[in-house]
Amino acid sequence: MDIDISESDLAFEEEVLRNPFKLKGWLRYLDHKRDAPVRTVSVIYERALRSLPGSYKLWHMYLGHRTGQLRGKNPLQFSDEVRKTELCFERALLLLHKMPELWLKYIRFMRVQADVTRTRRVCDRALRALPVTQHARVWRMYLRFAEHVGGHTAHHVYARYLRAWPEESEQLVDYCESHEEWNAMTLALVKVLDNTGFRSSRGTSEYGLWVRLAHVLRVHARDLQGWDVERVMRDGIGRFADQAGALWAALGEWHAGQGDVERARDVYEEAVTSVRTVRDFALVFDAYAEFEQATVAAELEHDVERGRTGVRTALRLVQLERLLERRAFLASDVELREIPHSVRAWLRRAGLWRARADDSALTDKQRAKALDMERETFAQA
């Protein structure tokens, strides 16, 4: 490792030879040679580290010097230099294995390489070597690397991470959603919801997680395999009886998406007669009405293709009309379930029945009048 020494270097050489264990002398020498060829600077670093092998500052500067020379270069074309730099990291960590910044620098350097296994092993070694208080810094970089690699590697890394940090389970859910891994996302959400002691680091409520699960089951039902969607959703409905509107609507939409119109109607009917809050009723009823309107539109389109109006279309129209007519009474039922001792609610209910009785009486009079006119016409004939 001989280098050419100029007259301007003599003073620095004398200083480091006279006091080889003094860090400042080496730093002044390195600052003086900062514009020298790369090999010359590397030789000076090696000489300094032979005298001061435990100097964190020297190792940090030297590793930054070596990695900087490889930045932007193809690791396959410069494999020899890459390997030498890796060996420098290993030498530094023999004595400074408790220094998190060196491990992070090593991981950043390895991420650029094409060897996934060796990079993963460096991350694992960092977690074993550093105290638990420093693990969060390593995990952030480890997870970014795993997400970039994807596949089984990402899921295995996340599984290890969540054993230590279970409150961060939503990170795995987000990762699966971003990569459209709907089965894995559903499984991750179910595991979170089955864990009664789970506390989200983001402050997400258990109900919010259930709504997210219902959305996945409803929208991506065709991509899911081996899931009893109705059973899962009804489990959530049973747990959140006072907030079940969104879950009921999702279950009805799922059946409609599967093409089971009658089953979807049964679900909506069950929902509007069992929800406990006006807010949930409004949500479910709107979804029910949209569903009925969609079925009518589908039947009308089918009739246009056939060139005639079918019985099914008339039946769908009647069902839609009856649903809209029942809205006031259904809303009153919900209000009475929510506040059974409310006088105002009962008075409103009585008003609804009174209005219906008046309508019935008016209809009966119209029918009687029509019948009398028909009899007079028959008698004159």
Side-chain angles (χ1 to χ4, degrees):
M1 294 194 299
D2 295 333
I3 58 173
D4 295 330
I5 300 175
S6 63
E7 293 184 3
S8 61
D9 299 336
L10 291 177
F12 296 99
E13 282 287 338
E14 290 177 359
E15 182 180 4
V16 296
L17 289 173
R18 186 168 55 250
N19 297 305
F21 305 111
K22 188 175 180 180
L23 178 61
K24 288 184 179 180
W26 289 108
L27 294 178
R28 281 194 288 267
Y29 195 5
L30 288 166
D31 183 63
H32 169 69
K33 301 292 287 185
R34 62 180 178 275
D35 295 326
V38 174
R39 180 179 177 279
T40 300
V41 178
S42 298
V43 169
I44 297 173
Y45 271 118
E46 290 288 348
R47 289 173 58 196
L49 287 168
R50 276 205 303 270
S51 299
L52 298 168
S55 173
Y56 170 78
K57 189 167 187 177
L58 274 177
W59 275 116
H60 192 274
M61 292 171 62
Y62 184 30
L63 294 172
H65 165 73
R66 294 201 69 104
T67 55
Q69 299 304 317
L70 292 171
R71 190 172 294 115
K73 295 181 179 179
N74 189 330
L76 298 178
Q77 293 180 353
F78 295 86
S79 57
D80 291 340
E81 290 299 320
V82 169
R83 184 57 182 162
K84 290 177 182 178
T85 304
E86 288 181 26
L87 292 175
C88 287
F89 273 108
E90 294 293 340
R91 286 165 53 203
L93 291 168
L94 284 175
L95 294 176
L96 302 173
H97 57 279
K98 297 296 183 183
M99 297 296 177
E101 194 58 42
L102 293 184
W103 282 110
L104 296 177
K105 187 185 287 290
Y106 195 6
I107 295 171
R108 278 192 291 267
F109 174 72
M110 292 299 297
R111 284 184 61 188
V112 182
Q113 317 311 318
D115 196 329
V116 174
T117 301
R118 291 171 65 189
T119 306
R120 180 175 54 79
R121 287 174 179 172
V122 170
C123 294
D124 292 341
R125 288 171 56 200
L127 291 171
R128 288 195 297 268
L130 294 173
V132 176
T133 53
Q134 300 293 334
H135 281 192
R137 301 175 65 186
V138 177
W139 274 117
R140 280 194 293 271
M141 197 170 293
Y142 200 175
L143 291 175
R144 284 198 296 269
F145 159 72
E147 290 175 358
H148 177 73
V149 174
H152 291 293
T153 299
H155 286 284
H156 285 307
V157 171
Y158 263 110
R160 289 183 54 200
Y161 174 63
L162 295 179
R163 281 199 292 269
W165 310 87
E167 65 276 9
E168 300 293 343
S169 296
E170 288 173 271
Q171 287 191 36
L172 176 57
V173 176
D174 292 341
Y175 166 76
C176 294
E177 184 176 22
S178 64
H179 288 74
E180 299 183 354
E181 298 180 9
W182 307 120
N183 264 313
M185 180 181 177
T186 304
L187 180 60
L189 282 168
V190 169
K191 285 183 178 179
V192 169
L193 292 168
D194 284 342
N195 181 6
T196 56
F198 175 75
R199 294 294 180 272
S200 171
S201 62
R202 304 177 184 179
T204 307
S205 65
E206 185 180 0
Y207 175 72
L209 294 171
W210 269 106
V211 170
R212 192 172 184 183
L213 175 60
H215 175 77
V216 176
L217 293 173
R218 174 176 59 84
V219 176
H220 304 288
R222 299 184 185 279
D223 300 318
L224 300 175
Q225 298 175 353
W227 290 99
D228 189 343
V229 176
E230 181 159 2
R231 181 179 177 183
V232 173
M233 288 194 180
R234 285 188 177 275
D235 185 21
I237 291 169
R239 295 190 190 189
F240 300 97
D242 294 335
Q243 298 175 287
L247 300 178
W248 275 117
L251 180 57
E253 290 176 20
W254 177 75
H255 280 295
Q258 298 297 306
D260 194 346
V261 176
E262 296 303 325
R263 180 58 183 154
R265 183 175 289 108
D266 292 341
V267 168
Y268 282 124
E269 280 292 335
E270 183 181 356
V272 295
T273 57
S274 62
V275 291
R276 299 182 182 179
T277 65
V278 175
R279 177 179 176 276
D280 282 347
F281 170 77
L283 195 155
V284 172
F285 188 88
D286 289 345
Y288 192 2
E290 289 178 6
F291 161 74
E292 290 291 4
Q293 290 170 358
T295 58
V296 169
E299 291 294 340
L300 288 173
E301 185 177 351
H302 186 56
D303 288 345
V304 170
E305 294 176 357
R306 293 186 303 176
R308 61 185 178 84
T309 302
V311 178
R312 292 173 61 87
T313 304
L315 177 62
R316 300 295 185 223
L317 286 169
V318 171
Q319 289 173 332
L320 177 59
E321 290 174 2
R322 288 183 177 176
L323 174 64
L324 297 177
E325 290 173 358
R326 292 165 55 207
R327 180 184 176 92
F329 278 92
L330 291 171
S332 177
D333 289 340
V334 175
E335 188 178 15
L336 291 173
R337 282 197 297 271
E338 187 176 9
I339 315 174
H341 304 295
S342 173
V343 175
R344 292 184 179 180
W346 282 108
L347 289 174
R348 280 192 289 271
R349 182 56 172 250
L352 290 173
W353 280 110
R354 190 179 301 110
R356 171 174 284 190
D358 293 341
D359 290 342
S360 299
L362 180 61
T363 303
D364 290 341
K365 289 180 181 179
Q366 291 174 343
R367 289 175 180 172
K369 186 177 180 180
L371 183 59
D372 290 340
M373 292 177 64
E374 186 176 338
R375 287 174 178 175
E376 291 177 2
T377 304
F378 180 74
Q380 291 176 0

